[in-house]
């Protein structure tokens, strides 16, 4: 395994950086909340321009203290930009060589739901530092490429769609897979689930990020990038490709899965979070292809799924969840924010029980459902849960209209085998925790 990881790092470069790094403001860039409603309690410098009350009160051992010039001792109107944030900016700015093209730059952006953009801009305008490219006296606002703030109801997925579009319009196309967001709220993890941005939640939400947060965020970004593989060209060496399972889907998402893309947004049940759910039995995938689409056979598809590199699949971390409600995510009866928060809790539980951090592949058992007549009562089937950052990095497939292959599937055709993942727990290095083993034992399942 060590030689594989070494090869991956050499291929990518140990110091690979995102093309765009974005920061939340309240609780992330600074300690506290720049609350417009706490300013002006002792009057305004300029009527109608709240930002004129925002000033640098002092620099202390911790950082830059920003507050209300008319009410400088009022702590509810104060935020602190820590020196670690300056150190982070300096490291980002060091990555661009003096004579390099704009395409080599790392864009620094703001992605915030603070309700008053101009006050936020003014706060950062007051923070000066020694920039590796611009020199002393550089204001933080001098290096910000895009500044998204002012609308607390706008999802951050739209911020990143804008970043991508604006760069495209400037002739600098930047995939969202090469972007990184630092934030203090798990609810904003949807930028990772749907857009492909790497999301990193800081260690002390509300208190401002540290340089360790920055390094750990880069580590997470690099770990996602380490597993990214190209889809083999037609006729290429197939020894690296491995048939791994089946996915039931509608026509649109079947085609996306086949092309190695993540699915579109969905409100279908996802008990382990938003992911690609894979079966080892093609009959299971066929069942889910039909579920909810009974009256639209032309929209029932099945994908024969492959990993782009069997070697990478062998070495990525894998865990087998216990099929317990306390572990699961109830997305159907939750908001997107609640689903993201539940996903964070699940990731923490995986670290606690398996000592595995993102990214990882997961497996679980699922109880027999009405209509699965080929499954014996009291037995369960296998499912693999592939979260989007790994799904569109390592997988691709062949999309088939279900009506054209269902006869072959039901007849046990050799091209549509039942893969029986539970027999590969040891060969694939799938980790089991005590609760997983107890879950298997409860049903008399071998592992």
């Amino acid at each position: 395994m060590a030689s594989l990881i070494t090869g991956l790092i050499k291929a990518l470069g140990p110091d690979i950086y995102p093309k765009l790094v974005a920061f939340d403001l309240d609780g992330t860039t600074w300690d506290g909340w720049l609350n417009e409603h706490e300013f002006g309690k002792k009057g305004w410098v300029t009527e109608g321009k709240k930002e004129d009350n925002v000033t640098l009160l002092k620099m202390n051992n911790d950082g830059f203290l920003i507050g209300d010039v008319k009410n400088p001792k009022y702590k509810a109107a104060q935020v602190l930009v820590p020196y670690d944030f300056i150190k982070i900016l300096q490291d980002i700015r060091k990555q661009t060589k003096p004579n390099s093209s704009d395409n080599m730059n790392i864009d620094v952006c703001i992605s915030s739901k603070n309700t008053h953009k101009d006050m936020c801009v003014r706060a950062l305008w007051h923070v000066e530092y020694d920039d590796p490219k611009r020199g002393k006296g550089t204001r933080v606002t001098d290096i910000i490429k895009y500044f998204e703030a002012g609308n607390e109801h706008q999802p951050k997925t739209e911020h990143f769609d804008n970043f991508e579009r604006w760069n495209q319009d400037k002739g600098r196309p930047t995939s969202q897979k090469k972007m990184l967001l630092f934030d203090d709220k798990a609810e904003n993890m949807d930028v990772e689930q749907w857009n492909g941005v790497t999301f990193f939640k800081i260690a002390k939400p509300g208190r401002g990020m540290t340089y360790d947060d920055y390094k750990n965020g880069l580590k997470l970004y690099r770990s996602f990038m380490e597993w990214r593989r190209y889809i083999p060209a037609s006729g290429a060496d197939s020894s690296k490709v491995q048939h791994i399972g089946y996915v039931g889907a509608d026509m649109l998402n079947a085609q996306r899965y086949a092309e190695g893309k993540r699915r579109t947004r969905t409100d279908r049940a996802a008990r382990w979070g938003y992911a690609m759910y894979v079966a080892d039995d093609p009959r299971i995938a066929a069942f889910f292809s039909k579920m909810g689409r009974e009256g639209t056979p032309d929209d029932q598809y099945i994908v024969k799924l492959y990993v782009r590199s069997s070697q990478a699949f062998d070495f990525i971390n894998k865990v087998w969840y216990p099929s317990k409600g306390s572990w699961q995510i109830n997305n159907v009866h939750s908001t997107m924010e609640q689903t993201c928060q539940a996903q964070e809790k699940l990731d923490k539980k995986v670290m606690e029980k398996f000592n595995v951090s993102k990214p990882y592949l997961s497996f679980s058992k699922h109880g027999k459902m009405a209509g699965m007549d080929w499954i014996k009562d009291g037995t369960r089937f296998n499912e693999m849960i592939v979260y989007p950052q790994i799904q569109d990095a390592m997988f691709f497939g062949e999309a088939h209209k279900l009506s054209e292959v269902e006869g072959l599937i039901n007849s046990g055709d050799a091209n549509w085998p039942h893969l029986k993942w539970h027999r590969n727990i040891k060969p694939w290095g799938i980790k089991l925790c005590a609760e997983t083993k107890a879950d298997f034992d409860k049903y008399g399942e071998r592992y």
Side-chain angles (χ1 to χ4, degrees), residues 101 221 248 295 305 320 410 445:
S101 68
Y221 172 80
L305 195 70
W320 199 297
N410 291 335
E445 296 161 338

Side-chain angles (χ1 to χ4, degrees), residues 76-177:
Q78 295 177 1
V79 296
L80 180 77
V81 180
Y83 287 121
D84 269 16
F85 182 68
I86 300 305
K87 186 178 176 183
I88 290 164
L89 295 182
Q90 288 172 329
D91 184 72
I92 292 173
R93 299 284 288 168
K94 285 177 184 176
Q95 307 315 311
T96 303
K97 305 304 178 186
N99 298 318
S100 62
S101 68
D102 184 58
N103 284 337
M104 295 297 291
N105 287 331
I106 300 172
D107 295 326
V108 177
C109 300
I110 298 298
S111 175
S112 171
K113 292 185 180 181
N114 188 289
T115 56
H116 204 291
K117 178 178 178 178
D118 290 340
M119 292 179 69
C120 294
V121 171
R122 185 65 62 86
L124 291 181
W125 181 86
H126 282 297
V127 179
E128 298 182 21
Y129 74 105
D130 188 357
D131 184 80
K133 292 182 67 180
R134 289 174 170 261
K136 293 182 178 180
T138 298
R139 299 184 187 275
V140 170
T141 49
D142 292 339
I143 67 162
I144 293 174
K145 184 75 171 284
Y146 305 122
F147 203 121
E148 283 281 47
N151 184 350
E152 63 181 319
H153 302 297
Q154 184 181 31
K156 294 195 176 184
T157 52
E158 292 184 10
H159 292 177
F160 282 87
D161 286 340
N162 289 338
F163 297 158
E164 182 178 33
R165 186 178 71 256
W166 292 335
N167 264 3
Q168 180 71 40
D169 291 344
K170 293 181 178 181
R172 189 169 184 257
T174 308
S175 167
Q176 293 188 47
K177 297 181 184 68

Side-chain angles (χ1 to χ4, degrees), residues 404-422:
E404 296 175 357
V405 297
E406 191 169 19
L408 296 173
I409 291 171
N410 291 335
S411 67
D413 186 271
N415 290 316
W416 295 88
H418 184 182
L419 299 172
K420 300 180 180 179
W421 295 328
H422 53 279

Side-chain angles (χ1 to χ4, degrees), residues 230-246:
Y230 292 108
I231 296 176
S234 178
D237 180 11
S238 61
S239 63
K240 297 179 181 179
V241 173
Q242 181 179 347
H243 177 209
I244 208 69
Y246 311 91

Side-chain angles (χ1 to χ4, degrees), residues 227 306-309 312-313 316 390-396:
W227 298 107
Y306 300 88
V307 287
R308 304 173 194 179
S309 167
F313 178 81
I316 192 168
I390 290 300
Q391 181 248 307
D392 66 9
M394 290 181 60
F395 293 82
F396 75 110

